[in-house]
Amino acid sequence: MTFCALSSAKGMDINMKICIVSFTKKGYELSCDIAHKLEKSAYEVEVFTKCSRLSDENIKNSTDENFRNTTYISQNISDWTAAQMSEKKALIFIGACGIAVRAIASSVNNKLKDSPVVVIDELGQFVIPILSGHVGGANELAVLLAALMNATPVITTATDINNKFAVDVFAKKCRLAIVNKDGIAKVSSKVLSGEVVTMSVDWEHIPAKHRQLIKAFLDEADMSADAIKTVGFPPAYGADIVVSCEKAKDPKNGSIYLKPTQFVLGIGCRRDTAFENIDRAIRQSLLKLQIDISAIDMIASIDVKKDEPGIKEFCERNRIEFVTYTVDELMAVQGEFSASQFVREHVGVDNVCERAAVLACSRECNKAGELIYKKHKYDRVTVAAAKYPD
């Protein structure tokens, strides 16, 4: 089986916020060039510097627009890094790997949730992903940066350099939540040893969207090497990879359990509602639904909310796709919804959260989603939830 996960960066999350930090004047100049190229590709980029010769005073007095848009880091670099990583921003360090390693050390926590981190030497010759290469997207970001800069990407993850199946990449591309992250190493070990890996998929009960993604992923690979062997569900003798909406029970040694992200949240809110309100409303809703946040595939709303800071921050921190729809699209959704004259007068549609959740499900599966959680009101926020059809 042949896998070419790094042949392009087309899988990159365009909503990813990227912070570039430099430590020398030459490094700063390179960071401005990179920022310009990324912004042309529609990425949101912030430029920072820790170079003492580029102080706040110099920045304020500069006539250079790029320089004036730069933020000087006066605090400890580890504290600054921790703040960026808490918001799940991608980090690009222009300088030595050692600087980056020391800066991120206290903030590295979970390979499924850590921010992607990339290091580039100040001459722009090499691009090195050092954290969250697969799930976070650091490897893809490195490939993109190398292409933009005509540099060399230095990829060190074993499955990539050996052109082998990576189960965490498979999970990410097929929108599957990883239930037990320890299974990643176990499956990768078998793959790299040349052993056949078994996969059991509950085709009958996973959403149609995920069936299509999994089949497309496997069809895209060359199956002649027989590296992945599909077995029935439930697997009679266990399997290395199990894809199911059910909770894993008595996991066999060596298995990794992957669950489809089968729910969509619809959200409405007052303008400039704080992130804390958004976060609290969503988490209270998930608690009532007894759903983990890892099971959320998308968050949907009306297009006037596409730049709502609180919603965007929540989605960025939790790596959840945020989609919006026009008034006409929402009003065209069929079903019984909790109508509000107040909402209609303000945004032109009688209900945002319920209609958006159902529409997002329908668009993804070409089949009506099921509204499982009608509009619930919180402080300045409304939340609803829909489930993908089987």
Side-chain angles (χ1 to χ4, degrees), residues 72-349:
Y72 177 73
I73 303 172
S74 56
Q75 66 189 127
N76 179 284
I77 189 64
S78 295
D79 294 338
W80 174 85
T81 300
Q84 309 312 310
M85 291 182 71
S86 72
E87 297 181 14
K88 299 298 185 290
K89 293 178 180 177
L91 300 180
I92 301 173
F93 286 82
I94 310 295
C97 282
I99 295 174
V101 169
R102 285 190 289 273
I104 69 175
S106 62
S107 301
V108 176
N109 181 45
N110 185 327
K111 71 181 298 172
L112 302 183
K113 297 180 180 179
D114 287 332
S115 295
V117 179
V118 172
V119 178
I120 304 174
D121 66 285
E122 68 170 36
L123 294 182
Q125 296 177 314
F126 303 102
V127 186
I128 313 163
I130 64 168
L131 185 68
S132 204
H134 285 166
V135 178
N139 285 4
E140 289 176 315
L141 178 58
V143 170
L144 171 65
L145 290 167
L148 292 174
M149 301 163 56
N150 194 27
T152 301
V154 182
I155 309 299
T156 59
T157 40
T159 51
D160 294 300
I161 61 175
N162 287 289
N163 201 28
K164 299 288 187 178
F165 171 81
V167 68
D168 46 356
V169 172
F170 167 73
K172 180 181 179 180
K173 291 185 178 296
C174 296
R175 312 290 279 258
L176 304 169
I178 297 172
V179 176
N180 55 320
K181 65 180 180 181
D182 58 305
I184 298 173
K186 294 175 182 177
V187 171
S188 296
S189 178
K190 288 193 71 171
V191 169
L192 293 168
S193 296
E195 299 177 47
V196 174
V197 170
T198 54
M199 180 186 296
S200 175
V201 181
D202 186 1
W203 297 109
E204 186 177 351
H205 297 109
I206 65 172
K209 169 183 178 175
H210 297 81
R211 287 199 296 270
Q212 294 167 4
L213 288 171
I214 293 169
K215 288 178 179 177
F217 185 97
L218 296 177
D219 288 346
E220 196 175 308
D222 176 11
M223 298 295 286
S224 60
D226 199 28
I228 303 294
K229 179 182 178 182
T230 56
V231 297
F233 183 91
Y237 303 102
D240 296 302
I241 304 169
V242 177
V243 181
S244 172
C245 292
E246 298 178 1
K247 290 184 177 179
K249 296 179 180 179
D250 300 322
K252 305 287 192 301
N253 289 334
S255 291
I256 185 169
Y257 285 81
L258 308 177
K259 290 185 69 173
T261 51
Q262 57 184 323
F263 301 98
V264 173
L265 295 181
I267 190 166
C269 68
R270 299 290 182 88
R271 182 181 299 174
D272 294 327
T273 296
F275 160 77
E276 290 75 15
N277 293 59
I278 302 289
D279 183 76
R280 186 163 51 249
I282 290 177
R283 293 189 185 279
Q284 287 177 1
S285 296
L286 295 178
L287 190 62
K288 290 179 181 178
L289 286 163
Q290 294 187 308
I291 293 172
D292 188 80
I293 195 167
S294 64
I296 303 304
D297 191 52
M298 290 190 294
I299 288 178
S301 191
I302 191 168
D303 59 357
V304 295
K305 297 296 177 186
K306 68 179 183 296
D307 294 316
E308 189 67 41
I311 301 177
K312 288 183 66 180
E313 183 175 349
F314 181 88
C315 293
E316 288 158 2
R317 287 194 181 203
N318 293 283
R319 292 180 182 158
I320 298 174
E321 183 180 357
F322 180 40
V323 296
T324 60
Y325 302 105
T326 66
V327 168
D328 290 342
E329 287 175 313
L330 292 174
M331 285 301 295
V333 180
Q334 299 297 309
E336 295 183 8
F337 303 107
S338 308
S340 167
Q341 186 60 31
F342 175 83
V343 175
R344 181 189 286 272
E345 290 173 357
H346 280 76
V347 297
V349 60

Side-chain angles (χ1 to χ4, degrees), residues 47-59:
V47 177
F48 298 84
T49 187
K50 188 66 175 167
C51 177
S52 58
R53 300 187 67 179
L54 304 175
S55 65
D56 271 338
E57 194 61 35
N58 289 336
I59 290 173

